[in-house]
Amino acid sequence: MKIGIAGAGAVGCYFGGKLYEAGHEVTFLARGEHLKAMSQQGLSIQEENRDFSVDGFFTNDVTALADVELVLFCVKSSDTKEMAEQLQAVLDEKALVMTMQNGVENEEILIDVFGAERILSAVTYIQASVDEPGKIRQQGRVKLVIGELDPSTDIKSGVVSLLQEADVDTVPSGNILAKKWNKLMWNATFNPLSALSGARVGEILDDDQLRQTAETICREVIDVAIHKGLPVDAEATISQIFSRAEIARQHRTSMLQDRLRGKRMEVEAMCGYITKQGALYGLNTPAMQSIYSALNFVNQQQGRAPQLKT
């Protein structure tokens, strides 16, 4: 199958690399030093038990994806609309688009551009990072949960099989948006706080003040989810979120990785959405609002603010 990776960062490169290794024709859409390194030396992926190399096609030209049958949509949430519109202008009308992004708002944008019948959504459970341009490191368990946004279609089965055959633990879901919310609750609890503090997940768990702040944020996010009609048991969900965090102690969250590299963080998808949805329901989210304000300031500096040290 011809597959395009729109947004070849850590997540896009890892799954694109697995599909390439399984024999598929993969085009990676990237930019900057990462693109330069891959174009010159190929893509190197380090898993826990092995390394492998990828010699796919690396480009910054969206038209190179014109004949792909499946797009893994992995750009930052702030770039969703622009990238979707660029792809819509070149993709075949039968090509499928699967968002692998954080947050729960991207699906609505993609539906507006492509139509629900062509859209899949995936919840990605992965610890991956760009260690240096052209080099990806993956740690821990990898799992994908995939579902359609149009319940009248059955387009997920083929993609699930495709990824399973590429040695990726992949399962279907009949309620993918609920699964996305479950991941958002974890991400919103740890991502913004880690980006602001510079702490890994385990350091947040071990520091009394950071852990208390994380628990406060978690309760605010759960409160928003409950008011949106999700069937959430608050105490059970908090327990699950922090149990999952224990498994990811050494993980630098995606927002922390972005800040360390001086890149814009997904502040709106992680923080802004929660604070704005909370306001719609008359809910106070003071912990998240404070972090949202601070990280917005960092984002607005666009590289002028001092970067954290690795």
Side-chain angles (χ1 to χ4, degrees), residues 115-220:
E117 68 279 359
R118 296 172 60 187
I119 304 300
L120 289 158
S121 184
V123 182
T124 60
Y125 298 101
I126 183 172
Q127 298 176 45
S129 59
V130 180
D131 274 5
E132 59 183 88
K135 296 185 178 181
I136 305 298
R137 180 162 56 95
Q138 175 272 319
Q139 298 174 290
R141 183 187 180 192
V142 176
K143 182 177 181 179
L144 287 178
V145 182
I146 296 175
E148 302 99 347
L149 298 185
D150 182 349
S152 68
T153 64
D154 183 19
I155 56 176
K156 66 177 178 288
S157 300
V159 178
V160 168
S161 297
L162 187 81
L163 285 154
Q164 288 174 340
E165 291 165 5
D167 196 30
V168 176
D169 182 6
T170 309
V171 296
S173 171
N175 189 357
I176 192 62
L177 292 182
K179 299 290 186 182
K180 295 279 280 196
W181 255 100
N182 285 339
K183 185 181 180 186
L184 175 62
M185 287 188 279
W186 193 98
N187 274 337
T189 297
F190 290 100
N191 252 287
L193 185 57
S194 72
L196 187 60
S197 65
R200 294 175 186 259
V201 172
E203 292 171 321
I204 292 174
L205 296 174
D206 292 339
D207 183 273
D208 289 343
Q209 289 183 317
L210 287 177
R211 186 182 182 108
Q212 183 177 359
T213 301
E215 290 177 356
T216 300
I217 293 169
C218 191
R219 290 184 183 279
E220 292 177 358

